[in-house]
Amino acid sequence: MERRAFLKAGGASLASALMGSGMLTWSARSEAATISQTLYITDGTKTMPDGVSVYVKGYGTTANTPLIPAPSIICQEGDTLSITVYNMLSVTHNLVIGGLVSGSAPIASTGDIAPGGNKTLTYTIPSGAAGSYLFYDNKTSYNRFLGLHGGLAIMPAGISNQLYSGSPTFVKQQFWILNDIDPALNTAVKNGTTIPTNFTPRYFTINGLSSRPPGAAGHGDPTIDALYDPRSRLSGHVGDRTLVRMLNTGMCSHAVHTHANHMEWLTDRGTIRPAVWKKDTLYLRNNLGKIDAIFPFEAPPDAYPPVTSGHFPMHLHDEMSQTAGGGLYQFGSMTELEFL
Amino acid sequence: MGMNGGSGGGGGGMGSACYVYPGAPATPGFVTPDVLFQRGIYMNGSMTFDDGNSVTIWGFTDLAAGGGGGMTGGSFPSPAMRVTEGQIVHTALTVNMMWMHTVHHHGIEPSQENDGVGHFSWDVTNGTYTYQWRPSHAGTYFYHCHTNTPLHAEMGMYGGLIVDPVPNPNDPPGTKRAFANGPIYDVEAIWAADEIDPAWHTLQWSAGTCGGDVGLNNLNPRYFIITGVDGASSALTNPGVAVTMQKGQRLLVRYICAGFHPQKIDFGGLTATVVASDGRPLPQAWQTTSIEAHSAERYDCIFQPTTTGTWTVTVTYYHWRSGAVLGTARTRINVV
Ligand SMILES: [Cu+2]
Ligand SMILES: [Cu+2]
């Protein structure tokens, strides 16, 4: 795993608690800290699996390259977030941290950031706030679809292996941030023309990428192929229980389906489920729906002879999402579950 | 591995295929099974709706029962599989050289070779591949093709898959339970709720795989069905869907969300005791009068009506983006 794939947090020096790419790593602290981050709202283009170039906006760590999603942030209850956002574009933007419960008001906001300006969001995280959050631009209803979104993980204070105090435990954690792209929207934003009112998404991403099957250009390239993106792919040995923080920033509801293991379903839309159900398919709502679930990395239970290794898909079962540009099955929102 | 499998056929027209992985190798660790299902495929079935219109349907045939292979019709949904927890099961899929298909036993978690996902193993063509698996958890599953899945599943390539628990030696012979030590039931219904967009049912098997816009991102269903029967009116009375039971009996409804858009099933005033989902018992049973579900979820629901009467069950289908109601399908529970 390359160095940039790991988040280093914990200890006295906490200039930045975010990851470039790769899984979230975390060590609990006994003392609160200030987590500082600078982000730049920029635009650019992304090439879709069928070669179509789509205009995007994102929160980057440099003044000219959008990152989609933004680098994830992980912190713990009691920490203070200090996020400075520069708006490099010619229209007003913002950054809000969505509420824990889907549909509730954002818990923090930069307020409007004028073109060329910057604002700093400062927020001290109360106890009881542990969970998975989307930060995004809500200046319009559609800015988050363009790429202005990222994941924030708030850990319970002093705990490194639970989603919330007393939850089932895990040894790894990752985000799956899902988005749906209708290029008609992106083009209208780019050109300043009328925003469509009836979206029909044509591209589907997990952590900003679509999958590329064997034989396709980019297959196996972790910067192109969602099957191999270390932010998305779950890779582990039997017992490497992995918390997946699923955030739906897109337009469509999705059915998240894992092969090889059922998931332990912990939360729905920010609310802890009354009991942990084991599910092979989870209903991830649109309109900022979210789910936390643990992929347990147990030996696939129905194999004969028994096996402990293999490669399997996580794909969305609303199969329209498994396409690109109206065809190209296997070029949609899918990643790999790798049993080492 | 990679591009260019066979030429097209089925559903009209020839076509090339890309990003398919043709194969029909020997099964690793092949042993003599306890149960064997021999499945062929059909590519020229049809379903007629209550309004008189019809669409092409594809599916699996039971070769042991004399089902054809290819340009024939067949039952829709495909013939169900029923096995017992712990049995070693073989699903032998035979596909001729004109097409590629797989069997993915949804919710069953076998080895990579036996999972039936083309690009993680092979798309079966020009031969037979035998999927070997041993179900460890009783419950409700379904099987479906995993080649060009948006199209092949929409075209009808799915069937029910039920795993029964090992009979409890202390139970009277014939006792049926949802899972080991689970609730006993007398009457069973399998409701696979699906939606049909006729525009998709004119495509050939590899449509879109080499690129080009064939509309597979955009499902606009016009028909809403339960277990292969039109939910406009036929499913209200079709004896394969609508339930007739005696007061005092227990009914197990195995609800399968077999479409691609989210659904809500409302039991018309009856309260379901949901005892399992996705082939796993719930830690505590859940009492509800309706269930919201998305593609491929399953819920096992027990009903024990205490009065005679007729209840109308309604499945409402919602657009995955807008949430708009796309349509409904209805059936009935008649308690006599
Ligand atoms: Cu098929
Ligand atoms: Cu499936």
Side-chain angles (χ1 to χ4, degrees), chain B residues 57-120:
Chain B
I57 295 287
W58 306 339
F60 298 97
T61 58
D62 183 354
L63 295 177
M71 294 306 293
T72 61
S75 67
F76 174 51
S78 299
M81 299 181 188
R82 189 150 206 148
V83 298
T84 299
E85 212 170 66
Q87 288 181 320
I88 294 172
V89 187
H90 280 180
T91 306
L93 173 66
T94 300
V95 183
N96 71 28
M97 63 185 294
M98 291 179 69
W99 302 291
M100 296 184 206
H101 299 285
T102 72
V103 173
H104 169 61
H105 305 84
H106 184 111
I108 299 293
E109 292 159 342
S111 65
Q112 180 176 344
E113 294 86 350
N114 293 298
D115 199 28
V117 180
H119 68 275
F120 283 90

Side-chain angles (χ1 to χ4, degrees), chain A residues 50 180 197-204 211-217 219 227 233 251-263 265 269 273-287 295 298-307 309-331 334-337, chain B residues 1-3 18-21 28-31 88 104 106-115 117-120 123 132-137 141-142 144 146-151 153 200 207-219 257 259-263 274 277-284 286 292-299 318-323:
Chain A
D50 59 354
D180 318 304
T197 55
N198 190 13
F199 302 129
T200 303
R202 295 173 63 77
Y203 307 103
F204 306 91
S211 69
R212 300 293 192 283
H219 173 71
L227 295 169
R233 161 187 269 215
M251 305 172 179
C252 300
S253 63
H254 294 297
V256 179
H257 172 46
T258 53
H259 290 221
N261 275 184
H262 281 51
M263 297 168 277
W265 182 19
R269 289 167 279 182
R273 298 272 309 159
V276 177
W277 293 3
K278 294 183 177 179
K279 296 276 289 173
D280 60 55
T281 307
L282 290 167
Y283 183 175
L284 179 59
R285 312 288 173 134
N286 58 1
N287 300 316
F295 187 82
E298 294 165 351
D302 305 316
Y304 191 85
V307 296
S309 63
H311 296 246
F312 303 90
M314 182 293 294
H315 65 91
L316 309 182
H317 215 279
D318 38 291
E319 295 279 345
M320 300 82 82
S321 67
Q322 301 303 291
T323 65
L328 286 177
Y329 172 61
Q330 301 166 123
F331 289 75
M334 171 168 54
T335 191
E336 189 164 311
L337 309 167
Chain B
M1 248 188 179
M3 327 246 319
C18 299
Y19 311 111
V20 288
Y21 309 92
F30 186 99
V31 296
I88 294 172
H104 169 61
H106 184 111
I108 299 293
E109 292 159 342
S111 65
Q112 180 176 344
E113 294 86 350
N114 293 298
D115 199 28
V117 180
H119 68 275
F120 283 90
D123 298 293
Q132 179 168 291
W133 48 285
R134 183 174 64 178
S136 57
H137 295 85
Y141 302 82
F142 68 123
H144 62 81
H146 222 297
T147 300
N148 203 9
T149 317
L151 180 60
W200 287 33
T209 57
C210 299
D213 185 351
V214 296
L216 294 182
N217 62 317
N218 192 7
L219 184 73
C257 186
F260 294 155
H261 285 293
Q263 306 175 355
V274 183
S277 179
D278 294 2
R280 298 292 184 274
L282 302 187
Q284 296 102 35
W286 170 42
E292 295 178 328
H294 208 333
S295 180
E297 286 190 277
R298 291 92 63 209
Y299 286 93
Y318 301 91
H319 192 274
W320 70 331
R321 184 194 60 77
S322 69

